[in-house]
Coordinates of all heavy atoms in Angstrom, one line a residue:
L17 N 0.8 -1.2 0.0 CA 0.0 0.0 0.0 C 0.9 1.3 0.0 O 0.6 2.3 -0.7 CB -1.0 0.0 1.2 CG -2.0 1.1 1.3 CD1 -2.8 1.2 0.0 CD2 -2.8 1.0 2.5
M18 N 2.0 1.2 0.8 CA 2.8 2.4 0.8 C 3.5 2.6 -0.5 O 3.7 3.7 -1.0 CB 3.8 2.2 1.9 CG 3.3 2.2 3.3 SD 2.3 3.6 3.6 CE 0.9 2.9 4.6
K19 N 3.8 1.5 -1.2 CA 4.4 1.6 -2.6 C 3.4 2.3 -3.6 O 3.9 3.1 -4.4 CB 4.8 0.2 -3.1 CG 6.1 -0.4 -2.5 CD 6.4 -1.7 -3.0 CE 7.5 -2.3 -2.3 NZ 7.9 -3.6 -2.9
L20 N 2.2 1.9 -3.4 CA 1.2 2.6 -4.3 C 1.1 4.0 -4.0 O 1.1 4.9 -4.9 CB -0.2 2.0 -4.0 CG -1.4 2.6 -4.7 CD1 -1.2 2.6 -6.3 CD2 -2.7 2.0 -4.3
A21 N 1.1 4.5 -2.7 CA 1.0 5.9 -2.3 C 2.2 6.6 -2.9 O 2.2 7.7 -3.4 CB 0.9 6.1 -0.9
L22 N 3.4 6.0 -2.7 CA 4.7 6.6 -3.2 C 4.6 6.7 -4.7 O 5.1 7.8 -5.2 CB 5.9 5.8 -2.8 CG 7.2 6.5 -3.0 CD1 7.3 7.9 -2.3 CD2 8.3 5.5 -2.4
K23 N 4.1 5.8 -5.4 CA 4.0 5.8 -6.9 C 3.1 7.0 -7.3 O 3.4 7.8 -8.1 CB 3.4 4.6 -7.5 CG 3.2 4.6 -9.0 CD 2.6 3.3 -9.5 CE 2.5 3.3 -11.0 NZ 1.7 4.4 -11.6
V24 N 1.9 7.2 -6.6 CA 1.0 8.3 -6.9 C 1.7 9.6 -6.7 O 1.8 10.5 -7.6 CB -0.2 8.2 -6.1 CG1 -1.1 9.5 -6.2 CG2 -1.1 7.1 -6.6
V25 N 2.4 9.8 -5.6 CA 3.0 11.1 -5.3 C 4.3 11.3 -6.1 O 4.6 12.5 -6.3 CB 3.3 11.3 -3.7 CG1 2.1 11.2 -3.0 CG2 4.4 10.3 -3.3
S26 N 4.9 10.3 -6.6 CA 6.1 10.6 -7.3 C 6.0 10.5 -8.9 O 6.6 11.1 -9.6 CB 7.2 9.6 -6.9 OG 6.8 8.3 -7.2
H27 N 5.0 9.8 -9.4 CA 4.8 9.6 -10.8 C 3.5 10.0 -11.4 O 3.4 10.5 -12.6 CB 5.0 8.0 -11.2 CG 6.3 7.5 -10.8 ND1 6.6 6.7 -9.8 CD2 7.5 7.7 -11.5 CE1 7.9 6.5 -9.8 NE2 8.5 7.0 -10.7
D28 N 2.5 9.9 -10.7 CA 1.1 10.2 -11.2 C 0.6 11.6 -10.9 O -0.5 11.9 -11.5 CB 0.1 9.2 -10.6 CG 0.5 7.7 -11.0 OD1 1.2 7.6 -12.0 OD2 0.1 6.8 -10.4
T29 N 1.1 12.4 -10.2 CA 0.6 13.7 -9.9 C 0.4 14.6 -11.1 O -0.6 15.2 -11.2 CB 1.4 14.5 -8.8 OG1 1.5 13.7 -7.6 CG2 0.9 15.8 -8.5
K30 N 1.4 14.6 -12.0 CA 1.3 15.4 -13.2 C 0.0 15.0 -14.0 O -0.7 15.8 -14.6 CB 2.5 15.4 -14.1 CG 3.6 16.2 -13.5 CD 5.0 16.1 -14.4 CE 6.1 16.8 -13.7 NZ 7.3 16.7 -14.5
R31 N -0.1 13.7 -14.2 CA -1.3 13.1 -14.9 C -2.5 13.5 -14.3 O -3.6 13.8 -14.9 CB -1.1 11.7 -15.1 CG -2.1 11.0 -15.9 CD -1.9 9.6 -16.3 NE -1.5 8.9 -15.1 CZ -1.7 7.6 -15.0 NH1 -2.1 6.9 -16.1 NH2 -1.4 6.9 -13.9
L32 N -2.6 13.4 -12.9 CA -3.8 13.8 -12.2 C -4.2 15.3 -12.4 O -5.3 15.6 -12.6 CB -3.6 13.5 -10.7 CG -3.6 12.0 -10.4 CD1 -3.1 11.8 -8.9 CD2 -4.9 11.3 -10.6
V33 N -3.2 16.1 -12.4 CA -3.4 17.5 -12.6 C -4.0 17.8 -14.0 O -4.9 18.5 -14.3 CB -2.1 18.4 -12.3 CG1 -2.2 19.8 -12.9 CG2 -1.7 18.4 -10.9
K34 N -3.3 17.1 -15.1 CA -3.7 17.2 -16.4 C -5.1 16.8 -16.7 O -5.9 17.4 -17.4 CB -2.8 16.4 -17.3 CG -3.1 16.4 -18.7 CD -2.2 15.5 -19.5 CE -2.6 15.4 -21.0 NZ -1.8 14.5 -21.7
N35 N -5.6 15.8 -15.8 CA -6.9 15.4 -16.0 C -7.9 16.0 -14.9 O -9.1 15.6 -15.0 CB -7.0 13.8 -15.7 CG -6.4 13.1 -16.9 OD1 -6.8 13.3 -18.1 ND2 -5.2 12.4 -16.8
G36 N -7.4 16.9 -14.2 CA -8.3 17.7 -13.3 C -8.8 16.8 -12.0 O -9.8 17.2 -11.5
I37 N -7.9 15.9 -11.6 CA -8.3 15.1 -10.5 C -7.6 15.6 -9.3 O -6.3 15.7 -9.1 CB -7.9 13.6 -10.7 CG1 -8.5 13.1 -12.1 CG2 -8.3 12.7 -9.5 CD1 -10.0 13.1 -12.1
R38 N -8.3 15.9 -8.2 CA -7.8 16.3 -6.9 C -7.4 14.9 -6.1 O -8.0 13.9 -6.1 CB -8.9 16.9 -6.1 CG -8.4 17.4 -4.7 CD -9.5 18.1 -4.0 NE -9.1 18.5 -2.7 CZ -9.9 18.9 -1.8 NH1 -11.2 19.0 -2.0 NH2 -9.4 19.3 -0.6
T39 N -6.3 15.0 -5.4 CA -5.7 13.8 -4.7 C -5.7 14.2 -3.1 O -5.3 15.2 -2.7 CB -4.3 13.5 -5.0 OG1 -4.2 13.4 -6.4 CG2 -3.8 12.3 -4.4
R40 N -6.3 13.2 -2.4 CA -6.4 13.4 -0.9 C -5.9 12.1 -0.3 O -6.3 11.0 -0.8 CB -7.8 13.6 -0.4 CG -8.5 14.8 -1.1 CD -8.1 16.1 -0.4 NE -8.0 16.1 1.1 CZ -9.0 16.2 1.9 NH1 -10.2 16.5 1.5 NH2 -8.8 16.2 3.3
F41 N -5.1 12.2 0.7 CA -4.6 11.0 1.4 C -5.2 11.2 2.9 O -5.0 12.1 3.5 CB -3.0 11.2 1.6 CG -2.4 10.9 0.2 CD1 -2.2 12.0 -0.7 CD2 -2.0 9.7 -0.2 CE1 -1.7 11.8 -1.9 CE2 -1.3 9.5 -1.3 CZ -1.2 10.5 -2.2
L42 N -5.9 10.1 3.2 CA -6.6 10.0 4.5 C -6.0 8.9 5.3 O -5.6 7.9 4.8 CB -8.1 9.7 4.3 CG -8.8 10.7 3.3 CD1 -10.2 10.2 3.1 CD2 -8.8 12.2 3.8
G43 N -5.9 9.2 6.6 CA -5.3 8.2 7.6 C -4.3 8.8 8.4 O -3.9 9.9 8.2
R44 N -3.7 8.0 9.2 CA -2.7 8.5 10.1 C -1.4 8.5 9.3 O -0.9 7.6 8.6 CB -2.5 7.4 11.2 CG -3.6 7.4 12.2 CD -3.4 6.3 13.2 NE -2.1 6.5 13.8 CZ -1.7 5.9 14.9 NH1 -2.4 5.0 15.5 NH2 -0.5 6.1 15.4
R45 N -0.6 9.6 9.5 CA 0.6 9.9 8.8 C 1.8 9.6 9.6 O 3.0 9.6 9.2 CB 0.7 11.3 8.3 CG -0.4 11.6 7.2 CD -0.3 12.9 6.7 NE -1.5 13.1 5.7 CZ -1.6 14.0 4.8 NH1 -0.6 14.9 4.7 NH2 -2.6 14.1 4.0
Q46 N 1.6 9.3 10.9 CA 2.6 8.9 11.8 C 3.3 7.7 11.4 O 2.6 6.7 11.0 CB 2.0 8.8 13.3 CG 3.0 8.4 14.4 CD 2.3 8.4 15.7 OE1 1.2 8.5 15.8 NE2 3.1 8.0 16.7
G47 N 4.5 7.7 11.3 CA 5.3 6.5 11.0 C 5.7 6.4 9.5 O 6.3 5.4 9.1
L48 N 5.1 7.3 8.7 CA 5.5 7.3 7.3 C 6.8 7.9 7.0 O 7.3 8.8 7.9 CB 4.4 8.1 6.4 CG 3.0 7.6 6.5 CD1 2.1 8.5 5.7 CD2 2.9 6.1 6.0
S49 N 7.5 7.4 6.0 CA 8.9 8.0 5.6 C 8.8 9.5 5.3 O 7.7 10.0 4.9 CB 9.5 7.3 4.5 OG 8.8 7.6 3.3
G50 N 9.9 10.2 5.5 CA 10.0 11.6 5.2 C 9.7 11.8 3.7 O 9.1 12.8 3.4
A51 N 10.2 11.0 2.9 CA 10.0 11.1 1.4 C 8.6 11.0 1.0 O 8.1 11.8 0.3 CB 10.9 10.1 0.6
L52 N 7.8 10.1 1.7 CA 6.4 9.8 1.3 C 5.6 11.0 2.0 O 4.7 11.5 1.4 CB 5.9 8.5 2.0 CG 4.5 8.1 1.7 CD1 4.1 8.3 0.3 CD2 4.1 6.8 2.4
L53 N 5.9 11.5 3.1 CA 5.3 12.7 3.7 C 5.4 13.9 2.8 O 4.4 14.6 2.6 CB 5.7 12.9 5.1 CG 5.2 12.0 6.2 CD1 6.0 12.3 7.5 CD2 3.8 12.1 6.3
A54 N 6.6 14.1 2.4 CA 6.9 15.3 1.5 C 6.1 15.2 0.2 O 5.5 16.1 -0.4 CB 8.3 15.4 1.2
G55 N 6.1 13.9 -0.4 CA 5.4 13.7 -1.6 C 3.9 13.9 -1.5 O 3.2 14.4 -2.4
I56 N 3.4 13.4 -0.4 CA 1.9 13.6 -0.1 C 1.6 15.0 -0.1 O 0.6 15.5 -0.8 CB 1.5 12.8 1.2 CG1 1.5 11.4 1.1 CG2 0.1 13.4 1.7 CD1 1.3 10.6 2.3
E57 N 2.4 15.8 0.6 CA 2.1 17.3 0.7 C 2.1 17.9 -0.7 O 1.3 18.8 -1.1 CB 3.0 17.9 1.6 CG 2.8 17.6 3.1 CD 3.7 18.1 4.1 OE1 4.5 19.1 3.7 OE2 3.8 17.7 5.2
R58 N 3.2 17.6 -1.5 CA 3.2 18.1 -2.8 C 2.1 17.7 -3.7 O 1.5 18.5 -4.4 CB 4.6 17.6 -3.5 CG 5.8 18.4 -3.0 CD 7.0 18.0 -3.9 NE 7.3 16.7 -4.1 CZ 8.0 16.0 -3.3 NH1 8.6 16.5 -2.2 NH2 8.2 14.6 -3.6
A59 N 1.7 16.4 -3.7 CA 0.6 16.0 -4.4 C -0.7 16.6 -4.1 O -1.5 17.1 -4.9 CB 0.4 14.5 -4.4
E60 N -1.0 16.8 -2.8 CA -2.2 17.5 -2.3 C -2.2 19.0 -2.7 O -3.2 19.5 -3.2 CB -2.4 17.3 -0.8 CG -2.9 15.9 -0.4 CD -3.0 15.8 1.1 OE1 -2.5 16.5 1.9 OE2 -3.9 14.9 1.4
E61 N -1.1 19.6 -2.6 CA -0.9 21.1 -3.0 C -1.2 21.2 -4.5 O -1.9 22.1 -4.9 CB 0.4 21.6 -2.6 CG 0.6 22.0 -1.1 CD 1.9 22.6 -0.8 OE1 2.5 23.1 -1.7 OE2 2.3 22.4 0.4
A62 N -0.5 20.3 -5.3 CA -0.5 20.5 -6.7 C -2.0 20.2 -7.2 O -2.4 20.8 -8.3 CB 0.4 19.5 -7.3
T63 N -2.7 19.4 -6.6 CA -4.1 19.0 -7.0 C -5.3 19.7 -6.3 O -6.4 19.4 -6.5 CB -4.3 17.5 -7.0 OG1 -4.3 17.1 -5.7 CG2 -3.3 16.7 -7.9
A64 N -4.9 20.6 -5.3 CA -5.9 21.1 -4.5 C -7.1 21.9 -5.2 O -8.2 21.8 -4.7 CB -5.3 22.1 -3.6
L65 N -6.8 22.4 -6.3 CA -7.9 23.2 -7.1 C -8.6 22.4 -8.2 O -9.4 22.9 -8.9 CB -7.3 24.5 -7.6 CG -6.7 25.5 -6.6 CD1 -6.1 26.6 -7.2 CD2 -7.8 25.8 -5.5
M66 N -8.2 21.2 -8.3 CA -8.8 20.3 -9.4 C -10.3 19.9 -9.0 O -10.6 19.8 -7.9 CB -8.0 19.0 -9.6 CG -6.6 19.2 -9.8 SD -6.2 20.1 -11.4 CE -5.7 21.6 -10.8
Q67 N -11.2 19.9 -10.1 CA -12.6 19.7 -9.8 C -13.3 18.7 -10.5 O -14.5 18.5 -10.4 CB -13.3 21.1 -9.9 CG -12.8 22.2 -9.0 CD -13.6 23.5 -9.2 OE1 -14.3 23.6 -10.1 NE2 -13.3 24.5 -8.3
K68 N -12.6 17.9 -11.4 CA -13.2 16.9 -12.2 C -13.4 15.6 -11.4 O -14.2 14.7 -11.8 CB -12.5 16.7 -13.5 CG -12.5 17.8 -14.4 CD -11.8 17.5 -15.7 CE -11.9 18.7 -16.7 NZ -11.1 18.4 -18.0
G69 N -12.8 15.4 -10.3 CA -12.8 14.2 -9.5 C -12.0 14.2 -8.4 O -11.1 15.1 -8.3
T70 N -12.1 13.3 -7.5 CA -11.2 13.2 -6.4 C -10.7 11.8 -6.2 O -11.5 10.8 -6.2 CB -11.8 13.7 -5.1 OG1 -12.3 15.0 -5.2 CG2 -10.9 13.5 -3.8
L71 N -9.4 11.5 -6.1 CA -8.7 10.2 -5.8 C -8.5 10.3 -4.3 O -7.7 11.1 -3.9 CB -7.5 10.0 -6.7 CG -6.6 8.9 -6.3 CD1 -7.4 7.6 -6.5 CD2 -5.3 8.9 -7.0
L72 N -9.1 9.4 -3.6 CA -8.9 9.3 -2.2 C -8.0 8.0 -1.9 O -8.4 6.9 -2.4 CB -10.1 9.1 -1.4 CG -11.1 10.3 -1.3 CD1 -12.4 9.9 -0.6 CD2 -10.4 11.5 -0.7
I73 N -6.8 8.2 -1.3 CA -6.1 7.2 -0.9 C -6.0 7.1 0.6 O -5.7 8.0 1.3 CB -4.6 7.3 -1.4 CG1 -4.7 7.4 -2.9 CG2 -3.7 6.2 -0.9 CD1 -3.3 7.6 -3.6
C74 N -6.7 6.0 1.2 CA -6.9 5.9 2.6 C -6.0 4.8 3.1 O -5.9 3.7 2.6 CB -8.4 5.5 2.8 SG -9.6 6.6 2.1
F75 N -5.3 5.1 4.2 CA -4.4 4.1 4.8 C -4.4 4.4 6.3 O -4.6 5.5 6.8 CB -3.1 4.1 4.3 CG -2.3 5.4 4.2 CD1 -1.5 5.8 5.3 CD2 -2.5 6.2 3.1 CE1 -0.9 7.0 5.2 CE2 -1.9 7.5 3.1 CZ -1.1 7.8 4.1
N76 N -4.0 3.3 7.1 CA -4.0 3.4 8.5 C -2.6 2.7 8.8 O -2.6 1.5 8.6 CB -5.0 2.9 9.2 CG -5.0 3.0 10.8 OD1 -4.0 3.4 11.2 ND2 -6.0 2.6 11.4
T77 N -1.7 3.3 9.5 CA -0.4 2.6 9.8 C -0.5 2.0 11.1 O 0.5 1.4 11.6 CB 0.7 3.5 9.8 OG1 0.5 4.7 10.6 CG2 1.0 4.2 8.3
S78 N -1.7 2.0 11.8 CA -1.9 1.3 13.1 C -1.9 -0.2 12.9 O -2.5 -0.7 12.0 CB -3.1 1.8 13.7 OG -3.3 1.1 14.9
P79 N -1.2 -0.9 13.8 CA -1.1 -2.4 13.7 C -2.5 -3.0 14.2 O -2.8 -4.2 13.9 CB -0.1 -2.7 14.6 CG 0.1 -1.7 15.6 CD -0.3 -0.4 14.9
A80 N -3.4 -2.3 14.8 CA -4.7 -2.8 15.4 C -5.7 -1.7 15.0 O -5.5 -0.6 15.1 CB -4.5 -3.2 16.8
I81 N -6.9 -2.3 15.1 CA -8.1 -1.4 15.0 C -8.4 -0.8 16.4 O -8.4 -1.6 17.4 CB -9.4 -2.3 14.5 CG1 -9.1 -2.8 13.2 CG2 -10.6 -1.4 14.5 CD1 -10.2 -3.8 12.6
P82 N -8.6 0.5 16.4 CA -8.9 1.1 17.7 C -10.1 0.5 18.4 O -11.1 0.1 17.7 CB -9.1 2.5 17.4 CG -8.5 2.8 16.0 CD -8.6 1.4 15.3
R83 N -10.1 0.4 19.7 CA -11.2 -0.1 20.4 C -12.6 0.4 20.1 O -13.5 -0.4 19.9 CB -11.0 -0.1 22.0 CG -10.0 -1.1 22.5 CD -10.1 -1.0 24.0 NE -9.3 -2.1 24.6 CZ -9.7 -3.2 24.9 NH1 -10.9 -3.6 24.8 NH2 -8.9 -4.2 25.3
P84 N -12.8 1.7 20.0 CA -14.1 2.2 19.7 C -14.6 1.6 18.3 O -15.8 1.3 18.2 CB -14.0 3.7 19.7 CG -12.8 4.0 20.5 CD -11.9 2.8 20.3
V85 N -13.8 1.6 17.4 CA -14.2 1.0 16.1 C -14.5 -0.5 16.2 O -15.5 -0.9 15.6 CB -13.1 1.3 15.0 CG1 -13.4 0.4 13.7 CG2 -12.7 2.7 14.8
G86 N -13.7 -1.2 16.9 CA -14.0 -2.7 17.2 C -15.4 -2.8 17.9 O -16.1 -3.7 17.5
R87 N -15.7 -1.9 18.9 CA -17.0 -2.1 19.5 C -18.1 -1.8 18.6 O -19.1 -2.4 18.6 CB -17.0 -1.2 20.7 CG -16.3 -1.7 21.9 CD -16.7 -0.9 23.1 NE -16.1 0.4 23.0 CZ -14.9 0.8 23.7 NH1 -14.3 0.0 24.5 NH2 -14.5 2.0 23.5
G88 N -17.9 -0.7 17.7 CA -18.9 -0.4 16.7 C -19.2 -1.5 15.7 O -20.3 -1.7 15.4
M89 N -18.2 -2.2 15.4 CA -18.2 -3.3 14.4 C -19.1 -4.4 14.9 O -19.8 -5.0 14.3 CB -16.9 -3.9 14.0 CG -16.1 -3.0 13.2 SD -16.7 -2.7 11.5 CE -16.4 -4.2 10.8
K90 N -19.0 -4.7 16.3 CA -19.8 -5.7 16.9 C -21.3 -5.4 16.9 O -22.0 -6.3 16.9 CB -19.3 -5.9 18.3 CG -17.9 -6.6 18.4 CD -17.5 -6.7 19.8 CE -16.0 -7.3 19.8 NZ -15.5 -7.3 21.2
S91 N -21.6 -4.1 16.8 CA -23.0 -3.7 16.9 C -23.7 -3.7 15.6 O -24.9 -3.7 15.4 CB -23.2 -2.3 17.6 OG -22.6 -1.3 16.7
L92 N -22.8 -3.9 14.5 CA -23.4 -4.0 13.1 C -24.2 -5.4 12.9 O -23.7 -6.4 13.4 CB -22.4 -4.0 12.0 CG -21.7 -2.6 11.8 CD1 -20.5 -2.7 10.9 CD2 -22.7 -1.5 11.4
P93 N -25.2 -5.4 12.2 CA -25.8 -6.7 11.9 C -24.9 -7.6 11.1 O -24.0 -7.0 10.3 CB -27.1 -6.3 11.0 CG -27.0 -4.9 10.7 CD -25.9 -4.3 11.5
A94 N -24.9 -8.8 11.2 CA -24.0 -9.7 10.5 C -24.0 -9.5 9.0 O -22.9 -9.6 8.3 CB -24.4 -11.2 10.8
S95 N -25.2 -9.2 8.4 CA -25.2 -9.0 7.0 C -24.4 -7.8 6.5 O -24.0 -7.6 5.3 CB -26.6 -8.8 6.5 OG -27.2 -7.7 7.1
A96 N -24.1 -6.8 7.4 CA -23.3 -5.6 7.1 C -21.9 -5.7 7.3 O -21.1 -4.8 7.1 CB -23.9 -4.4 7.9
R97 N -21.4 -6.9 7.9 CA -20.0 -7.0 8.3 C -19.2 -7.6 7.1 O -19.7 -8.4 6.3 CB -19.9 -7.9 9.5 CG -20.5 -7.3 10.8 CD -20.2 -8.3 12.0 NE -21.1 -7.9 13.0 CZ -21.3 -8.8 14.0 NH1 -20.8 -9.9 14.1 NH2 -22.3 -8.3 14.9
F98 N -17.9 -7.2 7.1 CA -17.1 -7.8 6.1 C -16.6 -9.2 6.6 O -16.5 -9.3 7.9 CB -15.8 -6.9 5.9 CG -16.1 -5.7 5.2 CD1 -16.2 -4.5 5.9 CD2 -16.4 -5.6 3.8 CE1 -16.5 -3.3 5.3 CE2 -16.7 -4.4 3.2 CZ -16.7 -3.3 3.9
P99 N -16.4 -10.1 5.7 CA -15.9 -11.5 6.2 C -14.5 -11.4 6.8 O -13.8 -10.5 6.7 CB -15.8 -12.3 5.0 CG -16.0 -11.3 3.8 CD -16.5 -10.0 4.3

């Protein structure tokens, strides 16, 4: 997943700008490499005004699901849960 994020910020940003696509990275940034963090900031800045679509790259570098999320998952009906 981190390789995909690095590819977007290093190779695909110009193409996203050309096509009017805004790029957003969601999730915890703690623990990411300095190069990836700098690339994320550059990609978000370069595409901030794009309006034809939005590419969301969501990631979480946490090794475990936080407790409140886990409790919420238990309250979902079985049909709404992921396997």
Side-chain angles (χ1 to χ4, degrees):
L17 184 58
M18 295 305 143
K19 287 181 183 180
L20 172 62
L22 190 55
K23 180 184 182 301
V24 168
V25 300
S26 60
H27 296 102
D28 296 338
T29 299
K30 287 181 184 179
R31 185 170 49 156
L32 292 165
V33 169
K34 179 181 176 184
N35 290 297
I37 306 298
R38 181 179 181 193
T39 307
R40 300 280 318 270
F41 292 83
L42 306 175
R44 294 178 49 172
R45 296 182 184 197
Q46 181 180 359
L48 299 179
S49 71
L52 183 53
L53 287 171
I56 286 171
E57 290 178 16
R58 283 193 305 272
E60 287 183 327
E61 283 181 23
T63 63
L65 300 177
M66 304 297 108
Q67 297 181 353
K68 290 185 180 178
T70 302
L71 171 64
L72 294 175
I73 299 177
C74 306
F75 54 91
N76 181 358
T77 57
S78 175
I81 297 174
R83 279 191 176 268
V85 172
R87 280 192 293 259
M89 293 292 289
K90 290 177 186 174
S91 67
L92 289 174
S95 61
R97 296 182 196 161
F98 292 104

